[in-house]
Amino acid sequence: MKINIDASSIRSTAAFCTAWRINMIAKEIGERGIIEIIRERLELPEEMVTPFGEDVSALDIGEGRLLALKADMLVGSTDIPPLMNYFQAARKAIVMNVSDFASKGMTPKAFMVSLGLPPELGRDEIEQLSLGLNSGAREYRTHLVGGDTGMARDLVIAVSGYGIGERSTLILRSGARPGDFLATTGEFGDTAAGLRALLEGVELPRQLKTRLQRKVLMPQARLDEGLAIAKMRAATASIDSSDGLAFSVHELSRMSRVGFTITKPPVSRNARRFAEITKCDPLDLALYGGEEYELVMTIRPDMWKKAKRLIPSLLKIGVATEEREVVAEYNHRTITVEPRGWEHFKSEAEWSGRRP
Amino acid sequence: MKINIDASSIRSTAAFCTAWRINMIAKEIGERGIIEIIRERLELPEEMVTPFGEDVSALDIGEGRLLALKADMLVGSTDIPPLMNYFQAARKAIVMNVSDFASKGMTPKAFMVSLGLPPELGRDEIEQLSLGLNSGAREYRTHLVGGDTGMARDLVIAVSGYGIGERSTLILRSGARPGDFLATTGEFGDTAAGLRALLEGVELPRQLKTRLQRKVLMPQARLDEGLAIAKMRAATASIDSSDGLAFSVHELSRMSRVGFTITKPPVSRNARRFAEITKCDPLDLALYGGEEYELVMTIRPDMWKKAKRLIPSLLKIGVATEEREVVAEYNHRTITVEPRGWEHFKSEAEWSGRRP
């Protein structure tokens, strides 16, 4: 069969695509699309041992040692929910950076901050921000050592820092093999429930409400767990779960070219209680919540017992499979886990109003 | 003489001061005031060899070697003038970070970026930003190796990075001694003139306008100069001039506890021509402009000839004095140089509108 190609139609299709590309805006492109646009235009150094888009950017500095950089930013209008005060926001900006180092088995050493402040922000709030930055850094045996500040229309807490590690214990997103155990450092769902409790003012038993909100306002990074797992070389792949459990597992799937069956979704007890009260699906809370800072890892089966002994909070939640799909078994159902996460640009949410 | 202290008046004064403090907002406190608030609340590590607020934060990593961190942010509404396109803005965000490493005699190695993007920003603009980041990094033999992105109400280009150096060749702001020569790596005034040409649409000869604007849109960091001066240990103190010549000299004065007499203000030929045409004071353009990226240094007199031979662009502009005041001699006048600079929060300027 001969195929006639009409050159003019190709040109017009190209023109259409170009026009479409030109008209696309950041919000439509999405966070991952934007990262791809940037990556395509960068010349990366030879000594870089992590692919662009990993949790940290690690550079080989000789003799098997790595230096990693990380930058992750909180923006007032989109990242900081109401009722989170300035101390908590600044502390969280550090914690989320620590979490990424933890997921790669690297030790954070020092942080910097670029603070963009709305001009009408008060002295008290600036003091709260300072204390939160210091507190976040000191909790993980690191320090905030400098930064800069300027006026901005939006509150910006752009934290960056460096960490160190060894090439032999670096854990990428790409090392999982079929048969590896899928594990997390803790349960999921509290943050999504807590955020809804904060935003929607749901009536909840007081203790439950306090616990859920605490998870949102004072998150913890799993630094000791990440470092211990790396040291014993038990993990074949790892990612932090700031974009949500579903997205994190899909990212391990994409980068490792494996699938996953989640046999025991790690839905927290409090998320179950919240779901019961509000008549929502607890599995959704656990899978698609985001802003949780557990580590999601694949563990070599022969290392499982040792890993579990050292880190009792470690939960075996499933297994890596040949077939590249992500499914979850829950309440005698098997569902397909969607690659949905916590992408800022895809979300319409904008938070505003005075903080406590 | 007995002094009667009325306790109630003390309390009311304290109450007044507290109220005043509470009501002060970021814009009134100013950049340096905010940095002071933060510094007071931080626990800094023992291995930190630079005071908080230096051009970079340097940490002793053993065997006389230093690792330095830097974070400096560009914000669309206040830092990026109209006519500066996205490529130029992103490139400049790197250059201004390189300049700080240069001023301390440290070699920048890699950069990260946190990009806050207004949701309606187009794909083309994101491509321009990416290319500008890469270009800025590559011009100074470094790389942009990662970062993150999110939605923000303001364009935010928060660049951070690390550099390396030696403790023996680190140049702080605090080492100047009376008798040291005050020197700069180039002339001043072009940026202030160029910015006014951009903002006010002044009628200028085409070549002059192009040259002035180029200084604003495509600034250069003096990395080779800073490294060479550090290597030969010719400088006793150094600062970059992003806050303007006057402010930079005052900062050397404050940190080194010396004064300065500027005997030969380094006013550029183009700034003089601009001043002639627009009937303004060329000295003001050179002293109070800001956003220039020359290095301002004090040089040991016995090293001057050697330094000048190696770096022909180096200009001897004055001398450090015992008396702690900063004066300039210009056109047979002696004037007091004010510690005015380029402080964002003190400025009312907010730039807006579409970029080219």
Side-chain angles (χ1 to χ4, degrees), chain A residues 21 24-27 41 43 48 57 72-73 78 119-121 123 127 134 138 143 145 148 150-151 153-154 160 345 350, chain B residues 21 24-27 43 48 57 72-73 78 119-121 123 127 134 138 143 145 148 150-151 153-154 160 345 350:
Chain A
R21 274 186 48 204
M24 259 193 111
I25 57 173
K27 199 163 142 181
R41 282 155 188 84
E43 298 159 56
M48 192 161 160
S57 301
D72 206 350
M73 174 174 62
T78 49
E120 69 282 4
L121 203 74
R123 186 190 171 99
E127 290 179 1
N134 186 65
R138 298 304 297 131
H143 294 86
V145 296
D148 81 305
M151 191 163 64
R153 287 184 195 162
D154 210 332
S160 59
F345 282 95
E350 173 148 334
Chain B
R21 273 187 47 206
M24 259 193 111
I25 57 172
K27 199 163 139 181
E43 299 160 55
M48 192 160 160
S57 302
D72 206 349
M73 174 174 62
T78 49
E120 69 282 3
L121 204 74
R123 186 189 171 99
E127 290 179 0
N134 186 65
R138 298 304 297 130
H143 294 86
V145 297
D148 80 304
M151 191 163 63
R153 288 184 193 161
D154 210 332
S160 59
F345 282 95
E350 175 149 332

Short mmCIF file of all heavy atoms in Angstrom, two decimals, chain A residues 21 24-27 41 43 48 57 72-73 78 119-121 123 127 134 138 143 145 148 150-151 153-154 160 345 350, chain B residues 21 24-27 43 48 57 72-73 78 119-121 123 127 134 138 143 145 148 150-151 153-154 160 345 350:
data_model
loop_
_atom_site.label_atom_id
_atom_site.label_comp_id
_atom_site.label_asym_id
_atom_site.label_seq_id
_atom_site.Cartn_x
_atom_site.Cartn_y
_atom_site.Cartn_z
N ARG A 21 0.87 24.56 21.78
CA ARG A 21 1.96 24.61 22.75
C ARG A 21 2.13 26.01 23.30
O ARG A 21 2.30 26.21 24.50
CB ARG A 21 3.28 24.20 22.09
CG ARG A 21 3.53 22.72 22.07
CD ARG A 21 4.91 22.46 21.52
NE ARG A 21 5.88 23.34 22.18
CZ ARG A 21 7.03 23.70 21.66
NH1 ARG A 21 7.36 23.32 20.45
NH2 ARG A 21 7.86 24.47 22.33
N MET A 24 -0.53 26.91 25.85
CA MET A 24 -0.61 26.18 27.12
C MET A 24 0.00 27.01 28.23
O MET A 24 1.05 27.62 28.07
CB MET A 24 0.13 24.85 27.00
CG MET A 24 -0.81 23.70 26.80
SD MET A 24 0.04 22.15 27.05
CE MET A 24 -0.71 21.58 28.55
N ILE A 25 -0.66 27.00 29.37
CA ILE A 25 -0.14 27.76 30.50
C ILE A 25 0.29 26.83 31.63
O ILE A 25 -0.08 25.65 31.64
CB ILE A 25 -1.17 28.79 31.01
CG1 ILE A 25 -2.47 28.09 31.42
CG2 ILE A 25 -1.42 29.87 29.97
CD1 ILE A 25 -3.46 29.01 32.09
N ALA A 26 1.07 27.39 32.53
CA ALA A 26 1.67 26.61 33.61
C ALA A 26 0.67 25.70 34.31
O ALA A 26 0.93 24.52 34.55
CB ALA A 26 2.33 27.55 34.62
N LYS A 27 -0.49 26.25 34.59
CA LYS A 27 -1.53 25.52 35.32
C LYS A 27 -1.95 24.25 34.58
O LYS A 27 -2.24 23.23 35.18
CB LYS A 27 -2.72 26.45 35.47
CG LYS A 27 -3.70 26.09 36.52
CD LYS A 27 -4.55 27.31 36.79
CE LYS A 27 -5.98 26.96 37.05
NZ LYS A 27 -6.77 28.16 37.28
N ARG A 41 16.22 21.38 28.71
CA ARG A 41 17.04 22.54 28.35
C ARG A 41 18.29 22.69 29.20
O ARG A 41 19.00 23.68 29.09
CB ARG A 41 16.18 23.81 28.42
CG ARG A 41 15.29 23.90 27.19
CD ARG A 41 14.05 24.70 27.35
NE ARG A 41 13.24 24.52 26.15
CZ ARG A 41 12.41 23.48 25.94
NH1 ARG A 41 12.28 22.55 26.87
NH2 ARG A 41 11.74 23.37 24.81
N GLU A 43 22.08 21.42 30.63
CA GLU A 43 23.26 20.56 30.46
C GLU A 43 23.65 20.09 31.85
O GLU A 43 24.04 20.89 32.69
CB GLU A 43 24.40 21.37 29.84
CG GLU A 43 24.07 21.92 28.46
CD GLU A 43 24.97 23.10 28.10
OE1 GLU A 43 26.19 22.93 28.13
OE2 GLU A 43 24.42 24.17 27.80
N MET A 48 26.95 13.89 38.09
CA MET A 48 25.61 13.75 38.67
C MET A 48 25.18 12.29 38.61
O MET A 48 25.14 11.70 37.54
CB MET A 48 24.64 14.64 37.91
CG MET A 48 23.30 14.80 38.60
SD MET A 48 22.45 16.28 37.97
CE MET A 48 20.77 15.88 38.44
N SER A 57 19.38 15.95 44.18
CA SER A 57 20.35 15.93 43.08
C SER A 57 21.71 15.61 43.69
O SER A 57 22.28 16.43 44.40
CB SER A 57 20.40 17.29 42.39
OG SER A 57 19.13 17.62 41.89
N ASP A 72 13.23 22.94 47.94
CA ASP A 72 11.78 22.73 47.94
C ASP A 72 11.14 23.91 48.67
O ASP A 72 11.59 24.32 49.72
CB ASP A 72 11.45 21.40 48.64
CG ASP A 72 10.13 20.82 48.14
OD1 ASP A 72 9.40 21.52 47.42
OD2 ASP A 72 9.83 19.67 48.49
N MET A 73 10.08 24.40 48.07
CA MET A 73 9.53 25.70 48.43
C MET A 73 8.09 25.58 48.91
O MET A 73 7.31 24.82 48.35
CB MET A 73 9.58 26.53 47.14
CG MET A 73 8.95 27.89 47.19
SD MET A 73 9.26 28.78 45.62
CE MET A 73 8.42 27.70 44.43
N THR A 78 -0.91 28.61 48.04
CA THR A 78 -1.27 27.27 47.56
C THR A 78 -0.82 26.13 48.48
O THR A 78 -1.41 25.06 48.46
CB THR A 78 -0.67 27.00 46.17
OG1 THR A 78 0.72 27.35 46.22
CG2 THR A 78 -1.35 27.83 45.11
N PRO A 119 4.70 42.69 52.04
CA PRO A 119 5.21 43.85 52.76
C PRO A 119 4.46 44.18 54.05
O PRO A 119 5.01 44.81 54.95
CB PRO A 119 5.10 45.00 51.74
CG PRO A 119 4.36 44.45 50.57
CD PRO A 119 4.39 42.97 50.64
N GLU A 120 3.20 43.74 54.15
CA GLU A 120 2.41 44.07 55.34
C GLU A 120 2.54 43.04 56.45
O GLU A 120 1.89 43.15 57.50
CB GLU A 120 0.93 44.26 54.95
CG GLU A 120 0.18 43.00 54.53
CD GLU A 120 0.49 42.55 53.11
OE1 GLU A 120 1.37 43.18 52.45
OE2 GLU A 120 -0.10 41.55 52.67
N LEU A 121 3.40 42.02 56.26
CA LEU A 121 3.59 41.00 57.29
C LEU A 121 4.23 41.63 58.54
O LEU A 121 5.15 42.42 58.44
CB LEU A 121 4.52 39.90 56.75
CG LEU A 121 4.38 38.54 57.43
CD1 LEU A 121 3.09 37.87 57.00
CD2 LEU A 121 5.56 37.65 57.08
N ARG A 123 6.07 41.99 62.44
CA ARG A 123 7.30 41.54 63.09
C ARG A 123 7.09 40.21 63.81
O ARG A 123 7.96 39.33 63.75
CB ARG A 123 7.75 42.61 64.09
CG ARG A 123 9.10 42.30 64.70
CD ARG A 123 9.46 43.21 65.85
NE ARG A 123 10.66 42.69 66.47
CZ ARG A 123 11.89 43.14 66.23
NH1 ARG A 123 12.06 44.16 65.43
NH2 ARG A 123 12.93 42.57 66.78
N GLU A 127 9.17 36.73 63.36
CA GLU A 127 9.79 36.00 64.48
C GLU A 127 9.34 34.54 64.49
O GLU A 127 10.15 33.63 64.67
CB GLU A 127 9.44 36.67 65.81
CG GLU A 127 10.12 38.03 65.99
CD GLU A 127 9.76 38.73 67.30
OE1 GLU A 127 8.98 38.16 68.09
OE2 GLU A 127 10.26 39.85 67.50
N ASN A 134 14.39 27.44 62.61
CA ASN A 134 15.41 26.91 63.52
C ASN A 134 14.96 25.57 64.10
O ASN A 134 15.73 24.62 64.15
CB ASN A 134 15.68 27.91 64.64
CG ASN A 134 16.83 27.46 65.52
OD1 ASN A 134 17.96 27.38 65.07
ND2 ASN A 134 16.55 27.14 66.77
N ARG A 138 16.89 22.02 63.77
CA ARG A 138 17.51 21.41 64.94
C ARG A 138 16.91 20.04 65.26
O ARG A 138 17.61 19.17 65.78
CB ARG A 138 17.37 22.34 66.16
CG ARG A 138 18.06 23.68 66.01
CD ARG A 138 19.56 23.54 65.69
NE ARG A 138 20.30 22.89 66.76
CZ ARG A 138 21.14 21.88 66.58
NH1 ARG A 138 21.34 21.37 65.37
NH2 ARG A 138 21.78 21.36 67.59
N HIS A 143 21.33 22.60 60.77
CA HIS A 143 21.21 24.02 61.10
C HIS A 143 20.73 24.80 59.88
O HIS A 143 21.02 24.43 58.74
CB HIS A 143 22.57 24.60 61.51
CG HIS A 143 23.10 24.03 62.78
ND1 HIS A 143 23.84 22.87 62.82
CD2 HIS A 143 23.00 24.47 64.06
CE1 HIS A 143 24.17 22.62 64.09
NE2 HIS A 143 23.68 23.57 64.85
N VAL A 145 21.67 28.05 58.10
CA VAL A 145 22.91 28.83 58.19
C VAL A 145 22.89 30.15 57.42
O VAL A 145 23.86 30.90 57.46
CB VAL A 145 24.14 27.99 57.76
CG1 VAL A 145 24.34 26.81 58.71
CG2 VAL A 145 24.00 27.51 56.31
N ASP A 148 18.30 34.74 52.21
CA ASP A 148 18.03 36.12 51.86
C ASP A 148 16.54 36.37 51.97
O ASP A 148 15.74 35.45 52.16
CB ASP A 148 18.53 36.45 50.46
CG ASP A 148 17.57 36.00 49.39
OD1 ASP A 148 17.21 34.80 49.37
OD2 ASP A 148 17.17 36.83 48.56
N GLY A 150 13.20 39.17 50.72
CA GLY A 150 12.77 40.23 49.83
C GLY A 150 11.26 40.34 49.91
O GLY A 150 10.58 39.52 50.52
N MET A 151 10.74 41.38 49.29
CA MET A 151 9.30 41.60 49.29
C MET A 151 8.67 40.79 48.16
O MET A 151 9.23 40.68 47.08
CB MET A 151 9.06 43.10 49.07
CG MET A 151 7.66 43.54 49.30
SD MET A 151 7.57 45.36 49.49
CE MET A 151 8.10 45.92 47.88
N ARG A 153 4.55 39.30 46.57
CA ARG A 153 3.10 39.38 46.71
C ARG A 153 2.53 38.19 47.45
O ARG A 153 1.41 38.18 47.90
CB ARG A 153 2.46 39.44 45.31
CG ARG A 153 2.66 40.77 44.64
CD ARG A 153 1.94 40.81 43.31
NE ARG A 153 2.42 41.94 42.53
CZ ARG A 153 2.25 42.05 41.23
NH1 ARG A 153 1.61 41.10 40.55
NH2 ARG A 153 2.70 43.10 40.58
N ASP A 154 3.35 37.11 47.50
CA ASP A 154 2.91 35.86 48.12
C ASP A 154 3.96 35.51 49.18
O ASP A 154 5.13 35.86 49.02
CB ASP A 154 2.90 34.77 47.02
CG ASP A 154 1.85 33.70 47.29
OD1 ASP A 154 1.53 33.47 48.46
OD2 ASP A 154 1.37 33.11 46.31
N SER A 160 16.52 25.44 50.86
CA SER A 160 17.45 24.61 50.10
C SER A 160 18.52 24.13 51.06
O SER A 160 18.68 24.68 52.15
CB SER A 160 18.08 25.41 48.96
OG SER A 160 18.75 26.54 49.48
N PHE A 345 -0.09 22.47 40.19
CA PHE A 345 -0.63 23.19 39.05
C PHE A 345 -1.96 22.63 38.57
O PHE A 345 -2.72 23.32 37.93
CB PHE A 345 0.37 23.19 37.90
CG PHE A 345 1.43 24.19 38.14
CD1 PHE A 345 2.62 23.83 38.71
CD2 PHE A 345 1.22 25.52 37.82
CE1 PHE A 345 3.59 24.77 38.94
CE2 PHE A 345 2.18 26.46 38.05
CZ PHE A 345 3.39 26.09 38.62
N GLU A 350 -6.67 27.58 46.15
CA GLU A 350 -5.87 28.70 46.62
C GLU A 350 -6.38 29.07 48.00
O GLU A 350 -7.55 29.37 48.18
CB GLU A 350 -5.93 29.88 45.66
CG GLU A 350 -5.22 31.10 46.22
CD GLU A 350 -4.58 31.98 45.15
OE1 GLU A 350 -4.24 31.47 44.06
OE2 GLU A 350 -4.42 33.15 45.41
N ARG B 21 6.44 47.68 68.29
CA ARG B 21 7.09 46.52 67.69
C ARG B 21 6.07 45.63 66.99
O ARG B 21 6.28 45.17 65.90
CB ARG B 21 7.80 45.69 68.75
CG ARG B 21 9.22 46.15 69.04
CD ARG B 21 9.86 45.15 69.96
NE ARG B 21 9.63 43.79 69.49
CZ ARG B 21 9.61 42.72 70.27
NH1 ARG B 21 9.79 42.83 71.55
NH2 ARG B 21 9.43 41.51 69.75
N MET B 24 4.92 47.03 63.71
CA MET B 24 5.87 47.20 62.61
C MET B 24 5.69 46.09 61.59
O MET B 24 5.52 44.93 61.94
CB MET B 24 7.29 47.17 63.15
CG MET B 24 7.89 48.54 63.29
SD MET B 24 9.65 48.42 63.56
CE MET B 24 10.27 49.08 62.03
N ILE B 25 5.73 46.47 60.34
CA ILE B 25 5.56 45.47 59.29
C ILE B 25 6.85 45.34 58.48
O ILE B 25 7.74 46.19 58.55
CB ILE B 25 4.38 45.81 58.37
CG1 ILE B 25 4.56 47.20 57.75
CG2 ILE B 25 3.06 45.71 59.13
CD1 ILE B 25 3.54 47.52 56.68
N ALA B 26 6.92 44.25 57.72
CA ALA B 26 8.13 43.89 56.98
C ALA B 26 8.70 45.08 56.21
O ALA B 26 9.89 45.34 56.23
CB ALA B 26 7.82 42.73 56.03
N LYS B 27 7.81 45.80 55.54
CA LYS B 27 8.23 46.93 54.70
C LYS B 27 8.97 47.99 55.52
O LYS B 27 9.92 48.60 55.03
CB LYS B 27 6.97 47.53 54.09
CG LYS B 27 7.18 48.38 52.89
CD LYS B 27 5.84 48.52 52.20
CE LYS B 27 5.60 49.91 51.69
NZ LYS B 27 4.29 50.00 51.04
N GLU B 43 20.18 28.87 65.95
CA GLU B 43 21.36 28.26 66.56
C GLU B 43 22.30 27.91 65.41
O GLU B 43 21.98 27.05 64.60
CB GLU B 43 20.97 27.00 67.31
CG GLU B 43 19.98 27.27 68.45
CD GLU B 43 19.23 26.01 68.85
OE1 GLU B 43 19.89 24.99 69.17
OE2 GLU B 43 17.99 26.02 68.80
N MET B 48 30.69 26.83 61.34
CA MET B 48 30.42 27.97 60.46
C MET B 48 31.51 29.03 60.64
O MET B 48 31.74 29.50 61.76
CB MET B 48 29.04 28.54 60.79
CG MET B 48 28.55 29.53 59.76
SD MET B 48 26.75 29.69 59.88
CE MET B 48 26.53 31.28 59.06
N SER B 57 27.38 31.53 53.24
CA SER B 57 27.52 30.87 54.54
C SER B 57 28.51 29.73 54.37
O SER B 57 28.20 28.74 53.71
CB SER B 57 26.17 30.32 55.00
OG SER B 57 25.23 31.37 55.08
N ASP B 72 19.75 33.11 46.92
CA ASP B 72 19.35 34.48 46.58
C ASP B 72 18.24 34.40 45.54
O ASP B 72 18.33 33.64 44.58
CB ASP B 72 20.54 35.28 46.05
CG ASP B 72 20.39 36.77 46.28
OD1 ASP B 72 19.30 37.21 46.66
OD2 ASP B 72 21.38 37.49 46.06
N MET B 73 17.22 35.19 45.75
CA MET B 73 15.95 35.02 45.05
C MET B 73 15.59 36.26 44.24
O MET B 73 15.81 37.38 44.70
CB MET B 73 14.91 34.80 46.16
CG MET B 73 13.48 34.75 45.73
SD MET B 73 12.41 34.32 47.15
CE MET B 73 12.71 35.71 48.26
N THR B 78 9.07 42.89 42.23
CA THR B 78 9.96 43.90 42.82
C THR B 78 11.38 43.87 42.26
O THR B 78 12.08 44.88 42.30
CB THR B 78 10.08 43.70 44.35
OG1 THR B 78 10.35 42.33 44.61
CG2 THR B 78 8.80 44.10 45.04
N PRO B 119 0.06 30.97 37.62
CA PRO B 119 -0.58 29.86 36.87
C PRO B 119 -0.84 30.16 35.40
O PRO B 119 -0.93 29.25 34.59
CB PRO B 119 -1.88 29.62 37.64
CG PRO B 119 -2.01 30.71 38.63
CD PRO B 119 -0.68 31.33 38.84
N GLU B 120 -0.92 31.46 35.05
CA GLU B 120 -1.23 31.81 33.65
C GLU B 120 0.03 31.97 32.80
O GLU B 120 -0.05 32.32 31.62
CB GLU B 120 -2.09 33.08 33.61
CG GLU B 120 -1.39 34.37 34.03
CD GLU B 120 -1.24 34.53 35.54
OE1 GLU B 120 -1.62 33.61 36.29
OE2 GLU B 120 -0.71 35.57 35.98
N LEU B 121 1.20 31.71 33.36
CA LEU B 121 2.46 31.83 32.61
C LEU B 121 2.49 30.79 31.48
O LEU B 121 2.15 29.64 31.69
CB LEU B 121 3.65 31.63 33.55
CG LEU B 121 4.96 32.26 33.08
CD1 LEU B 121 4.91 33.77 33.27
CD2 LEU B 121 6.13 31.69 33.86
N ARG B 123 3.92 28.38 28.18
CA ARG B 123 4.99 27.41 27.97
C ARG B 123 6.27 28.07 27.45
O ARG B 123 7.38 27.73 27.86
CB ARG B 123 4.51 26.36 26.95
CG ARG B 123 5.48 25.23 26.78
CD ARG B 123 5.13 24.30 25.64
NE ARG B 123 6.24 23.40 25.45
CZ ARG B 123 6.28 22.16 25.93
NH1 ARG B 123 5.25 21.66 26.56
NH2 ARG B 123 7.35 21.42 25.77
N GLU B 127 10.04 27.91 28.96
CA GLU B 127 11.23 27.52 28.18
C GLU B 127 12.32 28.58 28.30
O GLU B 127 13.50 28.26 28.46
CB GLU B 127 10.83 27.30 26.71
CG GLU B 127 9.97 26.07 26.52
CD GLU B 127 9.55 25.84 25.06
OE1 GLU B 127 9.94 26.66 24.20
OE2 GLU B 127 8.84 24.86 24.82
N ASN B 134 20.10 27.68 32.55
CA ASN B 134 21.21 26.89 32.03
C ASN B 134 22.35 27.79 31.56
O ASN B 134 23.53 27.56 31.87
CB ASN B 134 20.74 26.01 30.88
CG ASN B 134 21.83 25.06 30.40
OD1 ASN B 134 22.25 24.18 31.14
ND2 ASN B 134 22.32 25.26 29.18
N ARG B 138 26.17 27.78 32.98
CA ARG B 138 27.26 27.34 32.10
C ARG B 138 28.30 28.44 31.88
O ARG B 138 29.48 28.14 31.69
CB ARG B 138 26.70 26.84 30.76
CG ARG B 138 25.78 25.63 30.86
CD ARG B 138 26.43 24.43 31.57
NE ARG B 138 27.57 23.91 30.85
CZ ARG B 138 28.75 23.67 31.41
NH1 ARG B 138 28.97 23.89 32.68
NH2 ARG B 138 29.75 23.19 30.69
N HIS B 143 26.69 24.11 36.88
CA HIS B 143 25.48 23.51 36.32
C HIS B 143 24.29 23.77 37.22
O HIS B 143 24.44 23.86 38.44
CB HIS B 143 25.63 21.99 36.19
CG HIS B 143 26.67 21.58 35.20
ND1 HIS B 143 28.01 21.46 35.53
CD2 HIS B 143 26.57 21.26 33.88
CE1 HIS B 143 28.68 21.07 34.45
NE2 HIS B 143 27.85 20.94 33.45
N VAL B 145 21.36 21.76 38.61
CA VAL B 145 21.20 20.30 38.73
C VAL B 145 19.84 19.85 39.25
O VAL B 145 19.59 18.65 39.35
CB VAL B 145 22.32 19.68 39.59
CG1 VAL B 145 23.68 19.88 38.93
CG2 VAL B 145 22.33 20.25 41.02
N ASP B 148 12.59 22.61 42.27
CA ASP B 148 11.17 22.28 42.31
C ASP B 148 10.38 23.45 41.78
O ASP B 148 10.93 24.53 41.55
CB ASP B 148 10.72 21.93 43.73
CG ASP B 148 10.46 23.14 44.57
OD1 ASP B 148 11.37 23.99 44.70
OD2 ASP B 148 9.35 23.27 45.11
N GLY B 150 6.24 25.30 41.66
CA GLY B 150 4.90 25.35 42.21
C GLY B 150 4.21 26.61 41.74
O GLY B 150 4.83 27.47 41.11
N MET B 151 2.93 26.68 42.03
CA MET B 151 2.15 27.84 41.62
C MET B 151 2.31 28.95 42.65
O MET B 151 2.36 28.69 43.85
CB MET B 151 0.69 27.43 41.52
CG MET B 151 -0.20 28.42 40.85
SD MET B 151 -1.78 27.65 40.35
CE MET B 151 -2.48 27.18 41.92
N ARG B 153 1.52 33.51 43.34
CA ARG B 153 0.89 34.72 42.82
C ARG B 153 1.91 35.64 42.16
O ARG B 153 1.56 36.55 41.44
CB ARG B 153 0.22 35.47 43.96
CG ARG B 153 -1.04 34.79 44.45
CD ARG B 153 -1.71 35.62 45.51
NE ARG B 153 -2.72 34.83 46.18
CZ ARG B 153 -3.22 35.13 47.37
NH1 ARG B 153 -2.81 36.22 48.00
NH2 ARG B 153 -4.13 34.36 47.92
N ASP B 154 3.19 35.42 42.50
CA ASP B 154 4.27 36.25 42.00
C ASP B 154 5.27 35.32 41.32
O ASP B 154 5.40 34.16 41.72
CB ASP B 154 4.94 36.93 43.21
CG ASP B 154 5.53 38.29 42.86
OD1 ASP B 154 5.91 38.49 41.69
OD2 ASP B 154 5.58 39.15 43.76
N SER B 160 19.66 28.63 44.60
CA SER B 160 20.57 28.31 45.70
C SER B 160 21.67 27.44 45.14
O SER B 160 21.54 26.87 44.07
CB SER B 160 19.82 27.59 46.83
OG SER B 160 19.24 26.40 46.33
N PHE B 345 12.71 46.30 50.92
CA PHE B 345 11.57 46.64 51.75
C PHE B 345 11.40 48.13 51.95
O PHE B 345 10.33 48.60 52.26
CB PHE B 345 11.67 45.94 53.10
CG PHE B 345 11.28 44.53 52.99
CD1 PHE B 345 12.23 43.55 52.82
CD2 PHE B 345 9.95 44.16 53.01
CE1 PHE B 345 11.87 42.23 52.70
CE2 PHE B 345 9.59 42.85 52.90
CZ PHE B 345 10.54 41.88 52.74
N GLU B 350 7.14 48.74 42.70
CA GLU B 350 6.61 47.44 42.28
C GLU B 350 6.44 47.49 40.77
O GLU B 350 5.76 48.35 40.24
CB GLU B 350 5.29 47.12 42.98
CG GLU B 350 4.68 45.83 42.46
CD GLU B 350 3.86 45.09 43.51
OE1 GLU B 350 4.13 45.20 44.71
OE2 GLU B 350 2.97 44.36 43.09
#
